[in-house]
Amino acid sequence: MRFLAFLLFAMLVGMPVGDSSAQSAVLWMSVEPAQPVNGSPVLFRVWVDKPLKSLSGIWLGHRVTFEFDSASRAWCGLAGVELGTAAGSHPLRLELISTNDTRSTSIQTVTTGQGSYASSILTVDDKFMSPNADEQVRIRQERALKRDVFRRGSRQQLWKGGFAAPVDNIVTEAFGVRRIFNGRQRSRHQGLDFRAALGTPVKAMNSGEVILARQMFYEGGLVVIDHGHGLLTMYLHLSDFKTTEGSRVSKGQIIGLSGATGRVTSEHLHVGVRWQGTYLDPAILLTMKLP
Ligand SMILES: [Zn+2]
């Protein structure tokens, strides 16, 4: 009954496609959110009328790893749309491998829109705009460290179910806002800011492995959790750590206390969602029903 409900859902919102190249396999697909924009995480659910050994995809230049979800009987794959991606139709190339090792492909078209992103003007301590020689060395070392650590993500899915907010407070600045620091440097806000008084407990948004938990120049107290399949969550400006690098954490576990360390204008919690090297909107991830 549950499977039929899902199938009906897929046929309503998805794109039923008879796939000629897939050796008579028929597939249906749903896309969540239904109308992704630049900056969105995206979940593809694919139902196939035959058992498969594996399903993988390529979309917008990224590999999409699918895993079979027995609850919905769908193959689920997490993807994302970079902020710089223009609105339009983007082909998703799926490769199906049947239980007898027959390969077939299917091309699905997924349309993305343009998100509406505001601008804001910020003032921070001038040392963050003009770091001295020692600070520049530190910044370079930390950049190299992050590059190295972010590259070694788990190939297994470590998250379980939907993501939960790290604090129960309001959002004070959305993802993607165009920012001007001290009247000059321009950047995009690559995460989501929550109001958080000093010392507010910060919870892991989902289960995973802590790959960074240390003080950084720009981020201040930083915790990064690897959730597998290229998906990381990052928690910035912390005043204290309640976890250590290499630890496994579960959803809702307290990993640190909020603060005002690093490049900040005042105390708050910044969270980032990084997928395969690109930053995505945490607010959208928080609304998604993930397997
Ligand atoms: Zn922020």
Side-chain angles (χ1 to χ4, degrees):
M1 194 58 214
R2 197 164 169 202
F3 173 55
L4 283 175
F6 265 109
L7 203 59
L8 187 63
F9 174 78
M11 291 168 78
L12 285 173
V13 305
M15 293 168 283
V17 175
D19 180 20
S20 56
S21 64
Q23 296 213 337
S24 79
V26 178
L27 62 86
W28 297 263
M29 190 174 83
S30 74
V31 180
E32 184 184 357
Q35 287 163 328
V37 297
N38 57 323
S40 289
V42 176
L43 184 75
F44 299 121
R45 285 180 191 269
V46 176
W47 288 267
V48 187
D49 69 343
K50 291 187 168 48
L52 297 179
K53 188 178 275 180
S54 73
L55 177 67
S56 61
I58 299 281
W59 192 53
L60 292 168
H62 292 272
R63 174 160 287 279
V64 183
T65 305
F66 284 83
E67 284 197 15
F68 188 72
D69 171 41
S70 51
S72 61
R73 297 197 192 181
W75 289 85
C76 297
L78 187 71
V81 189
E82 291 181 21
L83 259 178
T85 301
S89 296
H90 307 287
L92 165 64
R93 181 187 175 87
L94 295 172
E95 185 174 70
L96 298 77
I97 300 181
S98 71
T99 48
N100 61 4
D101 284 323
T102 309
R103 285 167 187 263
S104 54
T105 57
S106 170
I107 310 287
Q108 306 284 311
T109 300
V110 182
T111 303
T112 66
Q114 172 67 47
S116 53
Y117 295 111
S119 299
S120 76
I121 293 169
L122 294 105
T123 306
V124 294
D125 188 311
D126 208 51
K127 81 165 181 173
F128 293 107
M129 305 306 298
S130 315
N132 65 31
D134 286 350
E135 288 164 345
Q136 286 178 31
V137 170
R138 183 179 171 191
I139 290 164
R140 273 199 298 277
Q141 287 169 342
E142 291 180 355
R143 201 176 289 148
L145 170 73
K146 285 184 282 183
R147 201 166 44 231
D148 184 44
V149 170
F150 292 171
R151 201 180 284 150
R152 312 185 298 246
S154 168
R155 291 174 177 274
Q156 305 300 315
Q157 178 181 324
L158 304 178
W159 82 78
K160 200 165 175 7
F163 280 64
V167 290
D168 299 326
N169 294 342
I170 60 162
V171 168
T172 51
E173 188 154 281
F175 170 86
V177 170
R178 290 177 181 82
R179 294 172 136 186
I180 302 170
F181 281 99
N182 297 13
R184 24 198 181 119
Q185 191 175 307
R186 287 151 200 277
S187 68
R188 298 295 289 267
H189 187 219
Q190 296 192 308
L192 192 63
D193 289 348
F194 288 89
R195 177 178 294 166
L198 277 178
T200 303
V202 175
K203 295 174 280 191
M205 293 167 70
N206 212 316
S207 50
E209 183 186 338
V210 176
I211 55 172
L212 273 183
R214 60 176 79 183
Q215 286 292 334
M216 308 286 272
F217 182 73
Y218 285 119
E219 296 89 345
L222 170 68
V223 169
V224 181
I225 301 176
D226 173 24
H227 302 288
H229 288 192
L231 183 66
L232 312 176
T233 55
M234 314 170 64
Y235 310 77
L236 279 69
H237 315 310
L238 303 178
S239 60
D240 200 3
F241 299 98
K242 299 292 180 191
T243 188
T244 52
E245 292 175 5
S247 301
R248 282 293 185 111
V249 292
S250 51
K251 177 158 61 178
Q253 184 176 331
I254 294 168
I255 52 169
L257 302 181
S258 72
T261 53
R263 185 173 69 177
V264 291
T265 53
S266 62
E267 72 244 34
H268 70 282
L269 173 68
H270 171 109
V271 295
V273 167
R274 191 178 160 101
W275 177 77
Q276 293 193 7
T278 185
Y279 286 94
L280 302 175
D281 187 350
I284 297 176
L285 185 68
L286 287 170
T287 67
M288 292 170 62
K289 292 169 191 67
L290 298 180

